[in-house]
Amino acid sequence: MPDPVARDAAEEASAMSHPAVAPDASAAYGDHPDQVVDFYAPRSGHAAVPLVVVLHGGAWRAPYDRQHVTPFADFLARRGLAVANVEYRRGREIPQQRGDAGPVAGRWPETFDDVAAALDALPDLARKTLPQADPRRIVVTGHSAGGQLALWAAARHVLPAGSPWRLAAPPALRGVVALAPIADFGAAVELGVCGGAVRQLLGGEEQYDERAAHTDPSALLPTGIATVVVQGRADVVVPQSVAAAYVDAAAKAGETVGWTLLEEVGHFPLIDPAADACAVVAEEIAQLAW
């Protein structure tokens, strides 16, 4: 049995070993430097193909930006899909005070402001910037913390009344493919996922309950949006039990969520073009998109 930590390190090294792939075009959805979307045209050359929106992971922390998923975006484009790789504001670069290690996870409320604004702007941005994309066929995918954001983006119509991000009707999405998502905040907090990133994202203990009601995917069900979760059984970064808690919550809410578990796969192969798991992810996306 391979050492789980050693396996994770090797898988991360493989996923991060690919050179960044420059986009075919970029467009801003706001004035902040992080409010930008990179577009990748389908390498098939076909027109009117589905648009895949990618929300990167990295525990909502500043050091992890969209560059590390550009090979994944290119991988999807090479399979004939149009891709929008979204950047958003994340936590501060400056480490926390009181002895806590590492930069803060997330920026409240800007992280959610940005994802909402990007998704709202994308149909028009795609029409202007990437004519090959069909904005009537959008699938949102996200990895890890980005998986939480993808699930959240599909649930804005069920946000509590008065939420600034609430939509009056379900978003026009073909579906969501969440990759090892931080999909159940209670389970993630209990396990201390990503160094307590969930509590940091929500501003600490005092703000947790109120803000989780607006952001925890497992509390925003049912959505009525086709949803698939892809998870490696050997994931030690965001363990299987976190996504399983979300799938269970969906079932209790009367909604069936697709649940693809990959044997001998950890956290990073899902976005690693060199890994077989990434091909599985692309197929799950294509099944919803086409």
Side-chain angles (χ1 to χ4, degrees):
M1 178 71 72
D3 175 65
V5 175
R7 180 214 292 270
D8 177 66
E11 290 177 339
E12 181 178 9
S14 176
M16 302 304 168
S17 68
H18 308 285
V21 180
D24 296 296
S26 297
Y29 63 88
D31 295 330
H32 192 276
D34 285 337
Q35 293 175 318
V36 63
V37 181
D38 291 337
F39 289 99
Y40 294 78
R43 306 302 183 226
S44 63
H46 294 155
V49 303
L51 176 63
V52 181
V53 180
V54 175
L55 294 165
H56 69 81
W60 310 284
R61 291 186 170 120
Y64 307 99
D65 62 15
R66 68 191 185 282
Q67 293 304 311
H68 77 273
V69 292
T70 61
F72 174 64
D74 178 66
F75 179 78
L76 297 177
R78 286 188 279 112
R79 296 177 76 98
L81 296 160
V83 182
N85 187 16
V86 175
E87 191 57 275
Y88 53 88
R89 283 174 284 184
R90 304 166 312 285
R92 302 187 305 274
E93 289 276 9
I94 302 171
Q96 301 175 78
Q97 304 302 313
R98 300 183 302 278
D100 295 326
V104 173
R107 189 183 303 186
W108 185 276
E110 289 89 348
T111 297
F112 297 96
D113 288 344
D114 287 359
V115 172
L119 269 292
D120 290 346
L122 262 172
D124 285 341
L125 288 179
R127 289 186 185 97
K128 296 173 183 176
T129 310
L130 193 65
Q132 302 96 318
D134 181 357
R136 298 167 300 177
R137 291 184 288 171
I138 295 177
V139 173
V140 181
T141 190
H143 178 240
S144 195
Q148 178 270 329
L149 293 172
L151 294 169
W152 178 83
R156 289 171 57 204
H157 58 297
V158 297
L159 288 173
S163 169
W165 308 299
R166 182 180 169 94
L167 294 176
L173 301 176
R174 281 287 180 92
V176 178
V177 180
L179 313 176
I182 304 178
D184 184 287
F185 282 0
V189 167
E190 183 176 349
L191 293 171
V193 165
C194 297
V198 169
R199 286 201 185 278
Q200 293 172 21
L201 172 71
L202 302 186
E205 188 73 38
E206 292 182 1
Q207 309 286 350
Y208 179 84
D209 289 339
E210 178 185 354
R211 292 179 176 179
H214 293 258
T215 53
D216 181 357
S218 66
L220 302 173
L221 292 162
T223 67
I225 304 291
T227 300
V228 175
V229 173
V230 183
Q231 176 77 40
R233 285 190 184 273
D235 194 332
V236 296
V237 178
V238 183
Q240 173 186 331
S241 58
V242 176
Y246 170 80
V247 174
D248 289 346
K252 290 175 183 176
E255 188 158 80
T256 300
V257 169
W259 183 218
T260 300
L261 284 171
L262 302 179
E263 299 291 340
E264 301 299 318
V265 170
H267 193 64
F268 293 96
L270 304 178
I271 57 166
D272 182 356
D276 291 342
C278 199
V280 174
V281 168
E283 183 58 29
E284 294 285 4
I285 291 171
Q287 287 185 22
L288 289 177
W290 294 101

